């Protein structure tokens, strides 16, 4: 059986592709046969990170001009690669006959021990389809509020569409393990309260300049700089994943993955409702709420010199996550498939031009939770 791991994120540029490539390299080192499916239909970067130049992509397979085995790139640092490109988008529009032929041709992928899907960021149909079809989703976030709120939004849409498997969360570009844990705990608290999905801490990768140095050299950083903190963390994460396979991963035939993918890709997905009246009223109501006293801060950090910094970040995080979880946050326009032509959700460029953060609103978190509980 092939283990399928979908690596995804709400926000772009958080490190999915680097994580995929380096995890796959570690799985290969452990004696497994990994393959990465570059499922980022926009700006797939696997080829850049691995220094390869694919001649053909999944699009040629979807068009019936090539077979999967023709487009596979073999043994780049022990990893095989399937360049998805715009072919990913075309999968959803195929005829039923085309789909069954394609599913049959995908059967050659069953020889792999693990297949990583490196998705685009955000809540587009293809991202949701890969996640819904997988038994194992690795959500990559950083401690930035935008990354966490977008990650939360992705989990919310998954849960709205019936996804219930536990999601493993990787904290990337972390300041340190302790801070990453504290941020994850806050994120987890909110998810537990509002969503029927469980999240687990899978590990953290520190912010490390050797990562971008390796990108420049087009080689996985775990191979170029194996003794750095980032590389060691990837090794630990790979070990964690090897020790903790997804629920039911080994029981589900690979064919089922593609059938489920096609099914989700062809259905109308449920998206969060936008509560217009509440959106207009909520900020005032919230703004008038008293600030929580410092003694009610989310985490007690003791005498540690980091405490002020940690406390400030977590308080800001509480504000932003709660604001978003109450659906005050405008979900990005590209939530729905009707957003043809607009920038992808989480597109880093888009974020630079117009940051998506909601305004910071002072909030009595406890009072809000009670109010929300009473409303429900
Ligand atoms: N642990 C890290 N430390 C420092 N820089 C990092 C780390 N992880 C990723 N980066 C940097 O972040 C940038 C984005 O990484 P990457 O392309 O892997 O993200 P992504 O989530 O796949 O992006 P996209 O959403 O565009 O596909 C790169 O410049 C990379 O060098
Ligand atoms: Mg990427």
């Amino acid at each position: 059986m092939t283990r399928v791991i979908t690596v995804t994120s709400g926000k772009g540029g958080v490190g999915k592709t680097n994580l995929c490539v380096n995890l796959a390299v570690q799985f290969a080192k452990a004696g497994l046969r990994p393959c990465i499916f570059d499922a980022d239909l926009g700006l797939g970067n696997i080829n850049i990170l691995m220094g390869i130049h694919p001649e053909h992509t999944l699009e040629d397979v979807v068009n019936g001009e090539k077979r999967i085995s023709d487009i596979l790139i073999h043994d780049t640092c022990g990893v095989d690669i399937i360049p998805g490109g715009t072919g990913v988008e075309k999968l959803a529009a195929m005829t039923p006959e085309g789909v069954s032929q394609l599913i049959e041709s995908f059967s050659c992928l069953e020889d792999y021990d693990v297949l990583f899907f490196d998705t685009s960021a955000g809540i587009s149909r293809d991202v949701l389809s890969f996640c819904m079809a997988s038994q194992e989703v690795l959500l990559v976030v950083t401690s930035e509020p935008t990354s966490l709120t977008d990650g939360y939004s992705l989990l919310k849409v998954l849960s709205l569409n019936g996804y219930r498997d536990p999601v493993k969360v990787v904290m990337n570009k972390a300041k340190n393990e302790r801070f990453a844990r504290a941020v994850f705990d806050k994120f987890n608290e909110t998810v537990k309260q509002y969503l029927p999905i469980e999240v687990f801490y899978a590990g953290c990768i520190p912010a490390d300049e050797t990562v971008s140095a390796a990108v420049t050299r087009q080689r996985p950083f775990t191979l170029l700089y194996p003794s750095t903190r980032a590389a060691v963390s990837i090794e630990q994460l790979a070990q964690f994943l090897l020790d903790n396979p997804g629920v039911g991963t080994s029981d589900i035939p690979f064919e089922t993955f593609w059938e489920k993918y096609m099914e989700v890709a062809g259905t109308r997905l449920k998206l969060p409702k936008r509560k217009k009246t509440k959106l207009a009223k909520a900020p005032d109501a919230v703004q008038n709420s008293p600030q929580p006293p410092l003694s009610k801060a989310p985490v007690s950090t003791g005498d540690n010199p980091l405490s002020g910094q940690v406390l400030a970040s977590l308080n800001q995080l509480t504000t932003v996550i709660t604001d978003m979880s109450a659906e005050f946050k405008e979900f990005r326009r590209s939530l729905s498939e009707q957003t043809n032509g607009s920038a992808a959700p989480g597109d880093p460029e888009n974020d630079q031009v117009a940051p998506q953060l909601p305004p910071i609103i002072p909030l009595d978190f406890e009072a809000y939770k009670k109010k929300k509980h009473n409303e429900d």
Side-chain angles (χ1 to χ4, degrees):
M1 294 285 179
T2 306
R3 178 173 175 181
V4 176
I5 303 179
T6 295
V7 181
T8 194
S9 70
K11 188 174 187 295
V14 295
K16 296 177 295 298
T17 303
N18 272 279
L19 202 68
C20 250
V21 163
N22 288 283
L23 275 177
V25 166
Q26 291 306 311
F27 272 57
K29 271 193 188 171
L32 299 170
R33 281 200 71 199
C35 178
I36 303 177
F37 192 119
D38 184 353
D40 186 336
L41 58 102
L43 303 158
N45 282 335
I46 298 273
N47 47 337
I48 298 171
L49 260 61
M50 297 289 242
I52 53 170
H53 307 281
E55 262 180 62
H56 302 286
T57 69
L58 186 68
E59 187 168 6
D60 300 298
V61 180
V62 172
N63 292 342
E65 287 155 18
K66 297 276 171 204
R67 288 167 306 165
I68 278 282
S69 50
D70 300 326
I71 66 160
L72 259 168
I73 297 170
H74 291 282
D75 198 10
T76 309
C77 310
V79 179
D80 287 3
I81 293 155
I82 301 171
T86 46
V88 174
E89 205 170 19
K90 294 194 170 178
L91 281 176
M94 289 179 77
T95 61
E97 299 78 53
V99 167
S100 46
Q101 271 172 22
L102 196 72
I103 289 178
E104 207 178 306
S105 93
F106 279 143
S107 65
C108 70
L109 302 181
E110 281 183 38
D111 294 342
Y112 293 102
D113 296 307
V114 59
L115 183 54
F116 289 95
F117 283 93
D118 177 27
T119 72
S120 321
I123 311 175
S124 60
R125 176 175 291 278
D126 65 289
V127 172
L128 294 172
S129 305
F130 283 117
C131 292
M132 300 282 295
S134 302
Q135 293 90 53
E136 213 173 344
V137 170
L138 213 57
L139 176 69
V140 187
V141 292
T142 69
S143 55
E144 282 180 14
T146 38
S147 160
L148 293 157
T149 51
D150 291 353
Y152 178 94
S153 301
L154 176 57
L155 292 179
K156 175 158 186 151
V157 179
L158 281 175
S159 69
L160 277 174
N161 288 281
Y163 190 88
R164 292 292 179 268
D165 290 328
V167 171
K168 296 179 173 109
V169 177
V170 178
M171 306 290 309
N172 193 24
K173 306 189 189 182
K175 279 180 201 147
N176 57 50
E177 167 90 33
R178 184 164 168 265
F179 185 70
R181 278 266 182 190
V183 172
F184 171 80
D185 288 346
K186 203 72 221 163
F187 183 70
N188 185 23
E189 200 180 283
T190 310
V191 171
K192 254 192 202 156
Q193 185 157 15
Y194 296 107
L195 302 181
I197 286 189
E198 268 185 289
V199 288
F200 289 95
Y201 180 84
C204 86
I205 317 296
D208 192 324
E209 58 194 23
T210 57
V211 176
S212 54
V215 174
T216 311
R217 292 177 63 186
Q218 297 193 278
R219 295 272 294 167
F221 64 81
T222 43
L223 291 180
L224 276 183
Y225 311 106
S227 53
T228 54
R229 287 189 311 134
V232 172
S233 306
I234 289 277
E235 259 177 56
Q236 289 165 349
L237 177 61
Q239 193 54 53
F240 174 86
L241 293 175
L242 288 169
D243 294 341
N244 296 278
V247 179
T249 308
S250 55
D251 315 329
I252 299 181
F254 192 49
E255 211 174 83
T256 315
F257 171 86
W258 290 109
E259 283 165 3
K260 177 84 183 161
Y261 176 88
M262 296 299 180
E263 186 193 315
V264 180
T267 23
R268 193 172 165 76
L269 292 165
K270 289 183 191 150
L271 299 170
K273 287 183 197 129
R274 293 165 68 175
K275 298 178 184 170
K276 281 192 180 153
T277 348
K278 286 194 176 179
L279 271 172
K281 282 184 177 172
D284 278 349
V286 175
Q287 241 156 1
N288 293 334
S289 306
Q291 272 272 49
L294 262 183
S295 58
K296 285 193 185 167
V299 171
S300 160
T301 51
D303 294 332
N304 188 293
L306 262 179
S307 61
Q309 187 191 4
V310 170
L311 204 63
S313 298
L314 290 184
N315 279 335
Q316 188 195 14
L317 187 59
T318 301
T319 307
V320 177
I321 288 184
T322 309
D323 177 44
M324 182 268 314
S325 61
E327 295 169 15
F328 298 155
K329 181 177 188 256
E330 279 254 351
F331 282 100
R332 296 179 178 200
R333 288 184 186 280
S334 44
L335 265 177
S336 74
E337 60 272 24
Q338 292 96 8
T339 52
N340 290 337
S342 61
D347 183 319
E349 260 183 45
N350 199 27
D351 285 348
Q352 278 164 19
V353 176
Q356 301 290 317
L357 261 177
I360 301 295
I361 299 163
L363 177 72
D364 182 343
F365 190 46
E366 291 307 317
Y368 173 73
K369 279 198 288 191
K370 265 189 214 144
K371 184 168 171 279
K372 171 86 182 157
H373 181 73
N374 291 339
E375 277 175 11
D376 291 346

